[in-house]
Every structure is written in structure tokens, then in C-alpha cells.
Amino acid sequence: MKENLIYHKEINMKNMLSFTVPTMIRMIFISMYSIVDGIVVSNFVGSLGLSAINIVYPVLNVCMALAFMLSAGSNAIIGKKLGEGKVHEANSFMSLTVIVNVAAIIVLTGLFLMWDKQIYMMLGADKQLLPYCIEYGRVIVMGGPIWVMQVLFQSYLVTADRPGMGLWLSVGAGVTNIVLDLLFVGVFDMGLAGAAVASVAGMVVGGLVPLTVFFNKKSLLHFEKPVWRGKEFLKALGNGSSEMVSNLASAITTTLFNLQMMALVGEKGVAAISAILYLQFIFIAVFFGFVSGISPVVSYNYGAENRENIKKTFRISMKIVTIFSVAMFALAEIFNELLVWIFASKDPALSELMVYGFRIIAISILFSGLNIFASGFFTALNNGKISALISMLRTFVLEAGALVLLPEIFGIDGVWWALPVAEIMAAAVAVAMIVRYRKTYGY
């Protein structure tokens, strides 16, 4: 293995940032796919189109749940094998994961397309919104196999010590999406179908170009003959279960947000929460990017049984997460009105609703970073149970529970406070788990 790889460099703030900043920027651009759709659609199609995108979004979460689970879970195993010097086994397992995941998403995509009308009505659409949901959903869901490859390959590029390429591909994909969104929706008036086509085109850049790396036998990670390893594949599913939980929970909580806002405010309420959730995800995307960048290093040192490096990685990571948490919260509060204006410049009533709601929801950013890092850190240590516990409590249990209970007591304010309350309670659990397993892993 080459001696200039990140795995052989000293663990310090400079080296960690040089390795993780590209993945943080990459995640911001990835998060822009749906966000740019929302901004363009909101301004050129209207709040009905924005509401429709948010109703379709849970379907995308379900489609991507398996991809994120196998991406994180298999990467932990691949990184560990590289640390153990088992390079051929790492490549074989990567190849197996890609084949299984793409095959599974093709089946899942077919099922969604067969029953899309019934699904969207269950997710909060009414007869007025349903045509918009179908127009956007049928195109975006058919891009599922390409989106899966993008998720997998972006993760594997980091493990292959190619985070820079992952960054530039994400930038290229984001720019492609933005330009085509403005062209198809703003100029050619293609509506929601145009926005969906633009997103899929961006996915092609991020999902197919990396094939040039993984078909190259000189790359640290490359395709080799897949060998079925049942126990390891099940372990990958377990390792990445927290990421699956996060995506499935996002589907459920987005639906709950939509249902509550539709009941309390109507279609404008759904449009408002749609835009706010897009904005919130931009700010927490840096934490997902950081975890994606640092996880291969943690897994590698876990496989190499280098507890000192794990300790250094953990301590520096906590400093970075704390700094970014405060910075992201401050930016969200300072630029609140400007960010809202991007979505609702033509609708004063929608803008007023969003400004008030985003100021409250932004509080959750202070705690999201710790929760995302803790879950990803345990995944990298091949402890899928604790990772899944943190993720499940944070989303399935606490956030969904808050969304059901708080609006009954506080009305629309209960909707806004559901996310901050859930993140604060989850942070307490994350800290408890970090303390509990400190001696086990030596951090």
C-alpha cells in the first residue's frame, strides 16, 4: 500500500481537515439536488410544486435507505480489511455490495412506479397536489439506480483516498443540476418534470464518472470478482443500519411534518416546512460529510488495532464538530431572512411563516452534529447496534414522537419545536454511549 495515503499520515487537525473538508463540501453539493429543485420550483411553478416535491421526498428516502446502509456498513468492513492488509478481500466485497444494491433498487423502483398514486395520497397529497407529485416523482424515482451508484461510489472514493475527486464530481453534479434546473424550468417551462430531469442529470455525473476509477486496477479500491460472504454481508447491513434508520425515519418524519402542516395551515404550511427542511439539511450536511471523511480512518485504525490513533481522531473530531455546530447555528440565525427570501420572494405570507419557523428549527443544528458524529463513529468501529440505537432514538422515537405529541399541545409551535426537542434528547443519549464505550475502544 502506498506510504503517502491518509492512513499513514499523522493524526492532527491539519491532516484531518485536509481529508474531511472535501467530503463536507461534497455533501453540501449533494444536498443541493433537492434544494435547488425546491428553489427553482418555488419561484417558477409556485407553492403547489414545492409542496409536491416534499410529498415525493419520503419515497426517495426509502429508495436510498438501502444505499446509505450498505455504503456506510460495507465501508466500515472495507476500511477494516485494508487495515488488516486484506486488499483483495476489500475489493471483492466492494464489488459484491455494488451488484446487490443496484439490483435491489431496480426492484424497489418498479414497485414504487406501479403504485405511485396510492402512495402519494397516503403521504399527504390531495387531488390538487397529486398530478404534481406524479409529474415529479415518476422521473426522479426512475433515476434511483444511478443515485444508488452515486451514494456508493462517493463513499468508496473517500476510502480509496480520492476525496478530492469525490468533491469535484459533486461540484460538477451540483452545477449540472443548477444550470439544467434554470434552463428546463425557468426558460423552457418544463415544470416539475424538468426539475426532476435536471436532478437525474446531476446524478449521472456523480454516479457514472467514478466507474473510471473503480475499473482501474491501479486504484487502491477497484472492481474484482465478487465472492459471496454471507456473514460479512449481514454484518455490513448491521453496521450501516443506523444510516438506513436515518433515511427511513426521515421519510416518516417528513410525512408527519406534511400531515401536521396540512391540517394546521394547509398547502402553504407544507410548502413552508418543505423549504425549512431543505435549509436545515444544508447546515447539517457538513456533519454527514465530516463523518463520511473520518470514518475510513477510524475503521482502518480499528482494523490495525491502533488505539492511540483512534483516541487522537476522536478528540480532534469532537473539537471540529463543536466548532462547526456553533458556526452553522450562527449562520442559520444571521441569514435566516435572506435564505427564506430565496424560496418565498413572491409570497409574503409564506415568507413570514418560514422566518418564524426556521428561527426555532435552527436550534436543532447545535445538537445535530454531535448526534450524527456519534452514530457514524460507532458505525466506523463496526458497532452497528449502538450506532443504530442513537439514530433510531433521534429520529424514529424522539422526533416522530415529538411531532405527534407537541402539536396537540402547542399547535403550530409544536411542529417547529419538535426537531430541536428531539435533537437535545438524542444528544444526551449520544453522550451517555460515548462515555459508556470509552474504555472499550480506547478513545
Side-chain angles (χ1 to χ4, degrees):
M1 196 179 294
K2 296 178 182 179
E3 292 301 316
N4 63 345
L5 295 178
I6 184 64
Y7 306 114
H8 299 131
K9 293 181 180 179
E10 180 185 355
I11 301 296
N12 55 40
M13 180 73 77
K14 179 181 177 182
N15 285 336
M16 283 180 60
L17 286 175
S18 70
F19 195 59
T20 57
V21 166
T23 60
M24 287 190 274
I25 298 174
R26 172 174 63 84
M27 278 304 302
I28 291 174
F29 273 90
I30 289 175
S31 71
M32 288 179 65
Y33 289 150
S34 295
I35 294 166
V36 170
D37 283 352
I39 293 172
V40 174
V41 167
S42 178
N43 284 281
F44 288 99
V45 179
S47 58
L48 280 173
L50 182 58
S51 300
I53 290 178
N54 207 44
I55 289 172
V56 173
Y57 199 73
V59 174
L60 304 182
N61 285 131
V62 173
C63 288
M64 293 300 104
L66 182 61
F68 280 106
M69 175 173 63
L70 283 175
S71 170
S74 65
N75 229 9
I77 291 176
I78 292 167
K80 184 171 180 288
K81 285 184 178 295
L82 291 175
E84 295 168 341
K86 301 175 181 177
V87 178
H88 291 295
E89 287 188 18
N91 288 324
S92 176
F93 192 73
M94 180 192 71
S95 305
L96 174 68
T97 304
V98 173
I99 292 172
V100 172
N101 208 338
V102 171
I105 200 66
I106 290 173
V107 174
L108 194 58
T109 296
L111 294 175
F112 273 122
L113 292 175
M114 288 174 63
W115 288 290
D116 57 353
K117 293 180 181 178
Q118 295 89 331
I119 291 171
Y120 297 139
M121 292 298 288
M122 289 174 58
L123 295 178
D126 55 18
K127 291 183 179 179
Q128 186 180 20
L129 282 173
L130 184 60
Y132 291 90
C133 295
I134 293 172
E135 180 184 355
Y136 183 77
R138 287 187 175 172
V139 177
I140 203 77
V141 169
M142 283 192 289
I146 300 174
W147 201 342
V148 162
M149 287 191 286
Q150 176 176 261
V151 171
L152 290 173
F153 293 156
Q154 289 287 345
S155 179
Y156 294 150
L157 282 172
V158 178
T159 308
D161 199 25
R162 301 287 294 274
M165 181 178 184
L167 167 61
W168 288 113
L169 285 176
S170 296
V171 171
V175 171
T176 299
N177 187 26
I178 293 170
V179 172
L180 293 183
D181 254 328
L182 293 171
L183 188 63
F184 293 161
V185 182
V187 178
F188 296 140
D189 197 24
M190 292 173 62
L192 287 173
V197 171
S199 290
V200 173
M203 296 175 203
V204 169
V205 175
L208 298 186
V209 175
L211 289 172
T212 59
V213 172
F214 298 114
F215 275 116
N216 184 352
K217 299 297 182 181
K218 295 181 180 180
S219 298
L220 174 61
L221 280 182
H222 55 264
F223 292 128
E224 291 189 16
K225 182 180 179 180
V227 177
W228 176 253
R229 301 177 186 274
K231 290 184 178 180
E232 288 186 339
F233 192 79
L234 290 175
K235 187 173 183 180
L237 296 177
N239 284 343
S241 59
S242 62
E243 281 68 23
M244 181 192 70
V245 167
S246 294
N247 278 271
L248 292 179
S250 180
I252 292 172
T253 54
T254 299
T255 300
L256 288 173
F257 270 121
N258 291 339
L259 293 173
Q260 291 284 21
M261 293 301 279
M262 182 68 84
L264 291 167
V265 187
E267 167 265 319
K268 280 197 184 296
V270 176
I273 198 62
S274 303
I276 288 173
L277 291 178
Y278 289 149
L279 292 174
Q280 184 253 357
F281 188 72
I282 284 182
F283 287 99
I284 67 172
V286 295
F287 302 117
F288 286 109
F290 177 77
V291 170
S292 176
I294 210 63
S295 291
V297 178
V298 175
S299 297
Y300 181 92
N301 284 291
Y302 177 63
E305 299 182 356
N306 192 330
R307 292 166 72 92
E308 184 60 29
N309 275 354
I310 293 176
K311 180 189 292 186
K312 289 180 180 178
T313 302
F314 173 79
R315 291 182 176 179
I316 295 173
S317 294
M318 287 301 296
K319 292 179 182 178
I320 293 173
V321 168
T322 300
I323 292 169
F324 272 90
S325 295
V326 175
M328 291 299 102
F329 169 70
L331 289 173
E333 292 291 348
I334 292 170
F335 295 103
N336 180 353
E337 294 186 13
L338 175 61
L339 293 169
V340 165
W341 178 84
I342 295 173
F343 280 92
S345 60
K346 300 178 181 179
D347 194 329
L350 179 60
S351 177
E352 183 179 354
L353 184 64
M354 287 174 57
V355 167
Y356 179 78
F358 188 48
R359 288 204 184 279
I360 297 173
I361 284 183
I363 296 171
S364 66
I365 298 170
L366 282 169
F367 305 91
S368 298
L370 171 62
N371 297 330
I372 292 167
F373 169 72
S375 179
F377 185 68
F378 282 111
T379 295
L381 290 170
N382 284 247
N383 192 334
K385 291 182 180 179
I386 300 303
S387 176
L389 173 65
I390 296 171
S391 186
M392 184 175 292
L393 284 175
R394 173 177 171 249
T395 50
F396 266 136
V397 178
L398 297 175
E399 188 176 338
L403 276 169
V404 171
L405 295 175
L406 294 183
E408 292 293 324
I409 303 172
F410 303 107
I412 192 170
D413 278 352
V415 178
W416 303 133
W417 277 103
L419 197 53
V421 167
E423 293 286 9
I424 291 169
M425 296 176 70
V429 175
V431 170
M433 292 299 103
I434 288 172
V435 173
R436 165 69 177 79
Y437 286 91
R438 192 168 189 171
K439 292 184 179 179
T440 303
Y441 297 107
Y443 53 78

